[in-house]
Amino acid sequence: MSRKRIVVLGGGTGGTMAANRLRRRFDEDEAEIHVVDHDDRHVYQPGLLFVPFGLAQVAEIVRPRSRQLRKGIAFHENEVEAVWSERDEVLLDDGTALPYDVLVVATGVRLQPGETEGLTGPGWNERAFTFYSPEGAAQLQRALDGFEGGRLVVNLVDMPIKCPVAPLEFAFLADWYLRERGIRSRTELVYSTPLDAAFTKPIASEHLAGLLSEREIELVTEFNAAEVDGVGGKLVSYDERELDFDLLVTVPLHGGAPYVERSPGLGDALGFVPTDRRTLQTPVKPNVFALGDATDLPTSKAGSVTHFEAEVLTENVVRYFAGEELDAGYDGHANCFIETGFHKALLIDFNYETEPLPGRFPAAFGLPLLRESRLNHLGKLMFQWVYWHALLPGREIPGLGPAMPMGGKKHIPIHA
Ligand SMILES: Cc1cc2nc3c(=O)[nH]c(=O)nc-3n(C[C@H](O)[C@H](O)[C@H](O)COP(=O)(O)OP(=O)(O)OC[C@H]3O[C@@H](n4cnc5c(N)ncnc54)[C@H](O)[C@@H]3O)c2cc1C
């Protein structure tokens, strides 16, 4: 085989894992691997949840991207301007054209708070915040520190978002934090969502709605946020319902990276990349693959999903070069710890066909599913170490593979 050139767009969770896994599969004389990212700050995003409560500092969850890449991977600190799939080239912001034999798209999502009227106007980062960026999470930490009670509204503007459970986790942790500070009785906590339930999947929704009600967190459903008055403290929906707030914690609208729209045939109307749900090849051209939040796949936008996808994608890049049939092995597997405060967490595990079920993961003697436990909380805390030292470098983790395990799961009927 002549020396191939693989270009990976995005040096976050998916891009780093894919590049490191590909480096393990190909010797340097078989393939050169390039990773492009517009900055050199790799954020461990699950850690952002803890920053507002003073349980983590931004500096502790950020590391240089280039140092997460294995030897023999070239890192380009550049903005991607466009992909010309017809010519097998990527255009970078400094005018460089980077040719490729295989392209891996892993540029995640972009946050678009400016798309909600008034959100980034007066009151932004004073009374209305997001913890979805390091800067936002740090500002919110200062605001929560000075919060003395009132109405705290957690709002998710629209789906899809990355880590759809993170705003729920924020609400649970806020309840715990406010109790610890002795100001819970002076605070009304509201969770508002455009969904018709607490979460996207019925069985998990029932459990999570139960937890919200236990914690006296008001659940407001089918609330499509249209406008924010950050000074007056008002969130208004498209059907003209109003939610007053003293502190708003929002998850803004998500879209794909801007270059996707400028790249002929690459993305859909929202800037996400249409991707085969089982092989991770894209329809734009057989030598273009995608993973992670950047795709349009009907599963959660989550790091766990990205990890399972990276395994299948790596195998398929190898098969593509060998001219073999691709592995249709990705089943939509997603796995998320849900922090519920008081040193406890839930765990959910699901795929395209099977929704989160109770039982144990990955087998009959594993972690409890859909049930609060300290073990799950410890699992969530330990995950940061696993992320930097096993997942990103592309090491195999026994029991944590792309195919969803059914061994420990219980089958229960859905209550409509
Ligand atoms: C608050 C929060 C909590 C979360 N908690 C969890 C959790 O508990 N469990 C879980 O599994 N997942 C969690 N996630 C989700 C998880 O972090 C993401 O799903 C995961 O990082 C997706 O990986 P990715 O590679 O697709 O995107 P990213 O890791 O975001 O990487 C995308 C990269 O592309 C780069 N990029 C974008 N556009 C360009 C461009 N034009 N040019 C150059 N570079 C570009 C970006 O700089 C970035 O580095 C959480 C996310 C958040 C925000």
Side-chain angles (χ1 to χ4, degrees), residues 351-374:
N351 69 9
Y352 291 137
E353 276 86 34
T354 309
E355 65 170 304
L357 294 171
R360 298 232 167 219
F361 175 86
F365 296 103
L367 297 168
L369 288 165
L370 266 182
R371 192 156 55 75
E372 281 185 285
S373 83
R374 278 177 183 263

Side-chain angles (χ1 to χ4, degrees), residues 69-141:
L69 297 170
R70 289 178 73 81
K71 195 172 145 284
I73 296 174
F75 179 64
H76 304 256
E77 196 175 327
N78 285 102
E79 178 84 23
V80 177
E81 283 294 322
V83 172
W84 294 317
S85 49
E86 280 203 3
R87 282 162 33 194
D88 298 329
E89 270 181 7
V90 174
L91 178 66
L92 304 183
D93 57 352
D94 61 1
T96 309
L98 211 53
Y100 60 81
D101 296 299
V102 156
L103 182 71
V104 176
V105 179
T107 34
V109 296
R110 104 181 104 140
L111 303 179
Q112 301 174 296
E115 293 293 311
T116 302
E117 205 180 319
L119 182 57
T120 52
W124 182 232
N125 284 328
E126 286 164 14
R127 210 164 163 184
F129 300 85
T130 185
F131 62 99
Y132 265 50
S133 68
E135 298 70 29
Q139 303 254 30
L140 178 55
Q141 191 275 322

